[in-house]
């Protein structure tokens, strides 16, 4: 509360003071007047205030002469002083030149004050050199420091301004001093105080010198005036040159030349100026060496020996590259584009060496004028961004932002966008977040839609730096869709890779489900035949998986990510290192699925691993157990379902004499020639078959005879069993089933259309003419027209060659 009261009291005091100063002055109707910042004019008779125009809010400075300062003078003296004040303001209003103070609003007078408005200024040169007479607030003045370049170029500009007065305006200022030099906001030194100027256009006009005989308020001081004007009543161009020499000495030595006042001690004044002309000022060494000799000539008592203004401009002190560059810049605007482009290229190499104040207030306003010429924008934009790099946020928003915003919307020439992206780190440093969203983000959107590959790649490389200043909704709805569109639409591998890398770098700024739904789910649709694109996709997956706060769920890994990654491993062109990186990521994803799904199913990681390793063995044992159980129900015992039918013909002939059970144990269940076992309903046999039939060796001729006999039976009808053969008591199967084969001299075929179950067939006779009975074979019998093999067989089993020959027929 105390702080608020202090602010309120301070504001109230300022308002009351200003009301008292400007009471009744018409200037207050058009301008708002604020702070007292400086003083100017001979004996600092003018107070300088900050202000602004009410209609346009244009900044201005208000010069006020308070008539209360004349209370000690007589009425005639007060009128003479006021007349000199009015004459100086009127003359100032008539002159238009860059080195002459610009008047915005003409003089307004009231009973107590005389006031007028000018361009914004800092203070007088005397104030900046430390003389704060008639200044209430000295805080701003103490912060302003004149650099070596400010002084050098300021003197150079004063010479040009005085030269204009002499040659064009035909005026002699007659009172050039630090009080009558005003420094504006841009740092330009401007001439002021024309109340005692002499007009050269009127021939024979006498030069009044009574100002030095009776000193009045605001009269020129003899210490700044040329001796011939006081002693001889003569005036010429060299009069101002003498005053300029005194000014240069004062600037560098920071003190005035010791000299008596001519109005009180004319004889002492003569001796002082003669000594000064012969020996020079006491602190002449404070002046730079290249300027020292010229200053001594300027202080000569003889006007003829003083240098001319034209010769002063050409001395080595002012032939500095920076002085000449800045001077040329001020006159460059009307020249042709070729000459300007060459100049701006040279400026880019030295602009960083100028003082920051000079760059911001002197060079920048001249550069932004070129924005009306689109062909020149790329040349000046580089220099403007160099200036921006040394600015604070407040300086950028005040002086640069309004100029750059329209330029960011331009599409042509394409170099504009390229320059912006090459220096975008500079803009991000000085722009607040709101300004980034308002001006920089539209520039990024436009670059993503550009047809230039270089611009697209530059834009993608700086997007991670931009997103730091953006909110998540802007990234999700504005930035990510545009990057995906560019990635899908481009045919350039480098652009596609940068798009994917950019999406991966957004992981830290977006939510988990945005990453999964908008980025991870998008990756399978990317054309990924190039190794570089594949590795970029792998990188995005890895970043999404490992970034804190993100992660990929197991269902997304199993259904989308892993099916996308596996085909990548066999893409041609991958190096071993790239292949290993993909495999390592697949293993990492698989491990995550294993752990999470194992925990979900209630088993530990170790049990899941052990069950996985033994699953194949258990499956084989289970199949074998089911097979044996089914065959046991059919009455086949534990014998092999297929017998020796599938054995290789290369096996020895004595294999047939081995027991059936032993042969079954020696076979492998997972033989590639073994057919799948159909799942049948177990059948209960009514009798037990005796399969112990001795092996009978048969020849190929006997096999042929038996085959012919079997064929005839097929055509003539069911074979009549002999009386001595008992009937086979088996139920008719619903479907054809393979039966165990006994080690006989010939192969046995089973037919489902056999005799009734009440009959019994005895298969003990080796001389049985029809060993097949009426059982339908598992493999169809060869047709009658088929030719039997003439090969001799030493085994009762069908050989592999016989089977293949039959299948081919």
């Amino acid at each position: 509360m105390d702080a608020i009261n202090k602010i309120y009291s301070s504001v109230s005091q300022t308002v009351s003071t200003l009301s008292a100063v400007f009471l009744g002055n018409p200037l207050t109707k058009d301008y708002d007047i604020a702070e007292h910042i400086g003083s100017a004019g001979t004996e600092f008779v003018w107070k300088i205030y900050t202000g602004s125009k009410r209609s346009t809010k244009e900044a201005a400075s208000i010069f006020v002469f308070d008539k209360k300062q004349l209370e000690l003078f007589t009425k005639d003296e007060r009128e003479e002083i006021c007349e000199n004040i009015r004459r100086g303001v009127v003359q100032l209003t008539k002159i238009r030149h860059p080195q002459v103070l610009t008047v915005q609003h003409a003089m307004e007078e009231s009973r107590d004050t005389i006031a007028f408005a000018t361009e914004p200024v800092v203070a007088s040169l005397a104030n900046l050199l430390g003389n704060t007479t008639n200044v209430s607030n000295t805080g701003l003045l103490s912060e302003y420091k004149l650099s070596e370049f400010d002084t050098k170029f300021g003197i150079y500009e004063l010479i040009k301004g005085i030269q204009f007065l002499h040659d064009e305006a035909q005026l002699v200022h007659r009172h050039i001093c630090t009080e009558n030099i005003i420094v504006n906001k841009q740092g330009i030194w401007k001439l002021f105080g024309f109340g005692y100027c002499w007009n050269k256009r009127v021939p024979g006009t006498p030069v009044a010198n009574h100002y030095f005989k009776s000193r009045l308020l605001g009269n020129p001081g003899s210490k700044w005036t040329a001796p011939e004007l006081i002693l001889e009543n003569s005036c010429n161009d060299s009069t101002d040159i003498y005053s300029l020499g005194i000014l240069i000495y004062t600037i560098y030595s920071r003190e005035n030349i010791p000299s008596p006042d001519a109005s009180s001690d004319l004889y002492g004044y003569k001796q002082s100026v003669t000594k000064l002309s012969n020996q020079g000022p006491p602190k002449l060494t404070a002046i730079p060496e290249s300027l020292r000799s010229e200053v001594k000539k300027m202080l000569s008592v003889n006007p003829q020996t003083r240098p001319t203004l034209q010769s002063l401009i050409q001395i080595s002190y002012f032939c500095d590259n920076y002085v000449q560059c800045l001077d040329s810049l001020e006159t460059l605007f009307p020249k042709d584009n070729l000459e300007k482009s060459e100049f701006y290229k040279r400026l880019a190499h030295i602009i960083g060496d100028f003082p920051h104040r000079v760059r911001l207030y002197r060079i920048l306003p001249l550069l932004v004028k070129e924005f009306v010429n689109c062909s020149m924008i790329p040349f000046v934009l580089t220099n403007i961004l160099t200036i921006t790099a040394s600015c604070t946020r407040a300086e950028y928003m005040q002086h640069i932002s309004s100029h750059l915003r329209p330029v960011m919307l331009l599409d042509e020439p394409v170099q504009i966008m390229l320059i912006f992206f090459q220096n975008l780190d500079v803009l991000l440093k000085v722009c607040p977040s709101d300004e980034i969203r308002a001006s920089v983000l539209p520039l990024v959107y436009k670059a993503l839609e550009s047809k230039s590959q270089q611009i697209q790649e530059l834009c993608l490389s700086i997007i991670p730096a931009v997103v730091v200043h953006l909110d998540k909704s802007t990234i999700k709805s504005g930035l990510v869709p545009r990057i995906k569109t560019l990635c899908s639409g481009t045919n350039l591998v480098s652009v596609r890779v940068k798009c994917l890398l950019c999406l991966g770098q957004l992981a830290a700024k977006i939510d988990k489900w945005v990453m999964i739904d908008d980025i991870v789910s998008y990756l399978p649709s990317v054309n990924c035949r190039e190794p570089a694109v594949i590795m970029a996709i792998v990188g995005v997956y890895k970043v999404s998986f490992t970034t804190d706060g993100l992660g990929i769920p197991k269902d997304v890994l199993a259904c989308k990510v892993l099916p996308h990654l596996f085909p990548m491993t066999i893409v041609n062109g991958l190096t071993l290192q790239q292949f290993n990186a993909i495999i390592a990521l697949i293993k990492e994803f698989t491990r995550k699925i294993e752990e999470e799904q194992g925990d979900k199913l209630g088993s530990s990681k170790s049990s899941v691993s052990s069950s996985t390793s033994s699953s194949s063995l258990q499956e084989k044992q289970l199949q074998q157990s089911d097979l044996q159980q089914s065959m046991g129900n059919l009455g086949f015992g534990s014998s092999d379902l297929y017998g020796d039918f599938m054995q290789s013909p290369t096996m020895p002939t004595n294999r047939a004499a081995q027991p059936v059970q032993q042969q079954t144990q020696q076979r492998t269940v997972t033989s590639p020639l073994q057919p799948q076992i159909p799942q049948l309903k177990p059948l209960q046999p009514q009798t037990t078959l005796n399969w112990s039939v001795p092996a009978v060796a048969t020849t190929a001729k006997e096999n042929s005879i038996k085959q012919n006999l079997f064929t005839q039976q097929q055509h003539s009808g069911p074979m009549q069993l002999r009386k001595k053969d008992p009937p086979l008591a088996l139920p008719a199967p619903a479907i054809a089933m393979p039966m165990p084969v006994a080690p006989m001299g010939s192969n046995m075929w089973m037919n489902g259309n056999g005799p009734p179950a009440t009959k019994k067939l005895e298969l003990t006779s080796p001389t049985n003419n029809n060993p097949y009975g009426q059982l339908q074979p598992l493999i169809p019998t060869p047709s009658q027209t088929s030719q039997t093999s003439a090969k001799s067989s030493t085994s009762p089993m069908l050989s592999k060659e016989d089977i293949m020959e039959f299948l081919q027929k």
Side-chain angles (χ1 to χ4, degrees):
M1 194 67 181
D2 294 337
I4 296 176
N5 292 333
K6 289 181 180 179
I7 295 174
Y8 177 77
S9 61
S10 177
V11 172
S12 301
Q13 183 178 0
T14 302
V15 171
S16 61
T17 302
L18 293 177
S19 300
V21 171
F22 292 96
L23 184 61
N25 195 295
L27 193 67
T28 57
K29 297 179 181 179
D30 298 325
Y31 284 84
D32 292 322
I33 304 171
E35 188 178 7
H36 180 200
I37 59 173
S39 57
T42 306
E43 300 187 54
F44 302 100
V45 295
W46 292 96
K47 291 183 178 180
I48 305 174
Y49 293 84
T50 59
S52 61
K53 194 171 184 178
R54 290 183 177 178
S55 58
T56 62
K57 302 301 179 181
E58 181 182 6
S61 291
I62 312 300
F63 283 70
V64 179
F65 174 72
D66 190 358
K67 294 182 180 179
K68 293 181 180 179
Q69 301 176 75
L70 306 178
E71 293 178 351
L72 300 179
F73 296 93
T74 64
K75 181 178 180 181
D76 294 338
E77 289 176 340
R78 288 199 297 267
E79 185 61 31
E80 183 179 354
I81 294 172
C82 289
E83 184 60 29
N84 291 333
I85 294 291
R86 297 188 194 100
R87 183 168 57 248
V89 177
V90 171
Q91 188 65 57
L92 179 66
T93 307
K94 293 178 181 179
I95 303 173
R96 297 292 180 181
H97 190 266
Q99 269 62 57
V100 177
L101 186 63
T102 302
V103 177
Q104 290 185 358
H105 190 93
M107 179 182 62
E108 298 284 358
E109 186 174 1
S110 65
R111 185 175 60 122
D112 297 322
T113 59
I114 298 175
F116 64 98
T118 69
E119 61 182 305
V121 304
V122 177
S124 65
L125 182 59
N127 294 154
L128 299 179
L129 292 175
N131 192 336
T132 57
T133 303
N134 206 12
V135 180
S136 59
N137 184 6
T138 60
L140 297 176
L141 298 176
S142 60
E143 297 176 358
Y144 195 99
K145 303 297 182 182
L146 290 173
S147 65
E148 175 65 23
F149 182 82
D150 290 329
T151 303
K152 180 184 293 188
F153 197 73
I155 296 172
Y156 181 81
E157 289 178 314
L158 286 180
I159 295 175
K160 294 179 64 176
I162 296 170
Q163 190 174 14
F164 166 78
L165 290 179
H166 293 175
D167 299 339
E168 303 296 333
Q170 294 294 307
L171 294 175
V172 178
H173 192 281
R174 293 207 307 166
H175 196 203
I176 297 175
C177 60
T178 55
E179 294 95 323
N180 285 332
I181 305 299
I182 307 298
V183 180
N184 71 357
K185 286 290 186 180
Q186 297 180 358
I188 303 175
W189 292 12
K190 303 239 177 180
L191 291 170
F192 176 68
F194 289 87
Y196 301 95
C197 64
W198 178 64
N199 193 344
K200 297 195 301 181
R201 287 195 177 97
V202 182
T205 303
V207 178
N209 61 354
H210 62 277
Y211 307 114
F212 307 102
K213 295 179 180 178
S214 57
R215 288 287 289 123
L216 296 176
L217 183 65
N219 284 2
S222 59
K223 62 182 178 181
W224 297 101
T225 307
E228 65 272 13
L229 186 59
I230 298 176
L231 301 176
E232 301 175 3
N233 292 337
S234 63
C235 182
N236 50 47
D237 293 347
S238 64
T239 301
D240 286 341
I241 295 177
Y242 182 90
S243 300
L244 182 62
I246 302 292
L247 176 69
I248 294 173
Y249 174 81
T250 304
I251 292 172
Y252 282 104
S253 65
R254 299 300 175 99
E255 65 178 25
N256 295 324
I257 296 178
S259 174
D261 188 3
S263 61
S264 59
D265 187 3
L266 185 59
Y267 178 76
Y269 172 77
K270 289 180 181 180
Q271 288 183 331
S272 176
V273 296
T274 303
K275 182 179 179 180
L276 182 64
S277 176
N278 296 330
Q279 299 179 5
K283 290 186 178 181
L284 191 61
T285 55
I287 303 173
E289 185 177 359
S290 57
L291 185 60
R292 193 178 303 161
S293 60
E294 296 299 323
V295 171
K296 188 175 180 180
K297 293 179 183 178
M298 294 166 71
L299 298 179
S300 176
V301 71
N302 184 3
Q304 304 301 323
T305 60
R306 297 169 191 164
T308 62
L309 295 174
Q310 186 63 33
S311 64
L312 285 175
I313 290 178
Q314 297 176 357
I315 64 176
S316 61
Y317 179 73
F318 299 114
C319 292
D320 182 85
N321 288 335
Y322 303 102
V323 173
Q324 296 299 322
C325 178
L326 188 55
D327 181 56
S328 300
L329 183 62
E330 294 180 343
T331 59
L332 189 67
F333 185 75
K335 297 182 180 180
D336 61 273
N337 288 345
L338 180 59
E339 188 175 355
K340 288 193 289 187
S341 63
E342 293 296 330
F343 175 83
Y344 291 133
K345 290 179 183 178
R346 295 193 302 268
L347 177 63
H349 293 91
I350 65 173
I351 191 171
D353 298 330
F354 285 96
H356 173 66
R357 188 190 303 114
V358 175
R359 292 198 300 262
L360 185 62
Y361 293 101
R362 299 294 300 274
I363 299 178
L364 178 65
L366 299 174
L367 294 178
V368 296
K369 290 181 179 179
E370 293 290 350
F371 283 165
V372 297
N373 186 356
C374 291
S375 59
M376 285 291 103
I377 293 179
F379 297 98
V380 300
L381 188 57
T382 303
N383 294 289
I384 291 176
L385 292 175
T386 302
I387 297 172
T388 304
S390 61
C391 291
T392 63
R393 285 190 174 182
E395 290 174 338
Y396 173 80
M397 296 303 296
Q398 181 180 357
H399 301 284
I400 303 177
S401 175
S402 59
H403 299 295
L404 288 186
R405 277 192 181 185
V407 179
M408 290 181 180
L409 302 177
L410 298 178
D411 296 325
E412 295 294 337
V414 70
Q415 290 84 358
I416 295 176
M417 196 176 298
L418 188 62
I419 294 172
F420 271 123
F421 283 114
Q422 289 173 341
N423 299 272
L424 196 59
D425 56 331
V426 174
L427 294 177
L428 296 178
K429 184 184 72 172
V430 297
C431 289
S433 298
D434 295 341
E435 181 67 15
I436 291 175
R437 288 191 292 270
S439 60
V440 177
L441 192 58
L443 181 67
V444 172
Y445 291 163
K446 186 186 299 183
L448 292 176
E449 300 169 358
S450 174
K451 297 180 181 180
S452 172
Q453 175 187 355
Q454 189 176 5
I455 290 177
Q456 290 173 348
E457 292 183 358
L458 274 175
C459 178
L460 291 170
S461 64
I462 58 89
I463 283 178
V466 177
V467 297
V468 177
H469 307 275
L470 304 179
D471 55 89
K472 294 182 178 180
S473 62
T474 303
I475 299 173
K476 179 182 182 299
S477 60
L479 202 55
V480 172
R482 286 176 169 85
I483 298 175
K484 290 163 57 178
T485 301
L486 176 60
C487 184
S488 301
T490 184
N491 294 324
L492 301 172
V493 175
S494 60
V495 175
R496 183 175 289 123
V497 169
K498 285 187 177 293
C499 287
L500 295 171
L501 295 178
C502 185
L503 290 174
Q505 290 172 326
L506 298 180
K509 281 292 294 180
I510 58 179
D511 294 327
K512 176 179 180 179
W513 296 112
V514 176
M515 189 71 185
I516 295 173
D517 297 340
D518 293 346
I519 297 179
V520 173
S521 300
Y522 162 74
L523 294 179
S525 65
V526 178
N527 184 8
C528 57
R529 302 306 301 174
E530 298 82 6
V533 179
I534 290 175
M535 297 314 298
I537 293 174
V538 170
V540 177
Y541 279 138
K542 189 173 183 66
V543 168
S544 304
F545 185 74
T546 58
T547 301
D548 294 338
L550 295 181
I552 306 178
K554 65 177 185 298
D555 54 339
V556 178
L557 290 175
C559 300
K560 295 182 179 180
V561 178
L562 289 176
H564 186 210
L565 285 176
F566 273 113
M568 293 182 183
T569 59
I570 59 173
V571 172
N572 294 331
L574 288 176
T575 64
L576 180 60
Q577 184 179 5
Q578 293 171 341
F579 172 79
N580 291 335
I582 301 174
I583 292 297
L585 189 63
I586 290 175
K587 291 180 179 178
E588 191 173 357
F589 290 167
T590 306
R591 191 180 304 112
K592 175 182 175 63
I593 297 175
E594 180 183 1
E595 292 175 356
E596 293 188 0
Q597 191 67 11
D599 293 341
K600 180 179 179 181
L601 296 176
S603 61
S604 64
K605 181 178 180 182
S606 59
S607 63
V608 172
S609 302
S610 61
S611 62
T612 302
S613 62
S614 61
S615 60
S616 59
L617 179 60
Q618 293 177 357
E619 183 179 357
K620 292 178 181 178
Q621 294 176 353
L622 181 61
Q623 289 178 356
Q624 186 174 3
S625 175
D626 292 343
L627 175 62
Q628 293 175 354
Q629 182 179 1
S630 299
M631 301 311 296
N633 293 334
L634 289 171
F636 297 149
S638 60
S639 61
D640 190 358
L641 181 62
Y642 299 102
D644 291 333
F645 177 75
M646 303 301 293
Q647 294 301 314
S648 172
T650 60
M651 299 181 65
T653 55
N654 59 2
R655 173 76 180 268
Q658 296 180 0
V660 175
Q661 184 176 3
Q662 183 178 358
Q663 295 178 15
T664 304
Q665 295 175 354
Q666 293 177 356
R667 298 189 187 99
T668 303
V669 178
T670 59
S671 172
L673 296 177
Q674 179 177 346
Q676 296 295 328
I677 306 301
Q679 299 295 329
L680 301 177
K681 183 178 180 180
L683 300 176
Q684 299 295 334
Q686 295 179 359
T687 182
T688 303
L689 299 179
N690 183 12
W691 297 98
S692 302
V693 181
V696 180
T698 60
T699 63
K701 183 177 181 180
E702 292 175 348
N703 289 336
S704 177
I705 294 172
K706 293 178 180 180
Q707 179 69 24
N708 294 335
L709 178 62
F710 177 76
T711 304
Q712 291 175 4
Q713 292 174 354
Q714 288 282 334
H715 288 279
S716 61
M719 181 184 70
Q720 299 296 328
L721 298 176
R722 291 178 300 177
K723 293 181 180 181
K724 62 179 180 180
D725 295 333
L728 180 64
L730 283 174
I735 59 174
M737 285 295 297
M739 303 296 292
V741 180
M744 297 175 60
S746 61
N747 293 309
M748 180 175 291
W749 303 84
M750 293 180 291
N751 191 344
N753 298 325
T758 57
K759 295 183 180 181
K760 182 176 180 181
L761 178 63
E762 186 174 352
L763 303 175
T764 59
S765 177
T767 59
N768 188 3
N769 295 329
N770 186 13
Y772 302 101
Q774 293 196 359
L775 298 177
Q776 184 174 351
L778 178 65
I779 300 177
T781 306
S783 62
Q784 188 174 2
T785 59
S786 302
Q787 300 296 329
T788 60
S789 173
K791 300 177 182 179
S792 61
S793 175
T794 60
S795 174
M797 302 300 157
L798 283 178
S799 66
K800 185 177 181 181
E801 285 80 3
D802 294 335
I803 296 173
M804 296 304 297
E805 181 179 358
F806 168 73
L807 293 176
Q808 290 176 358
K809 292 179 180 181

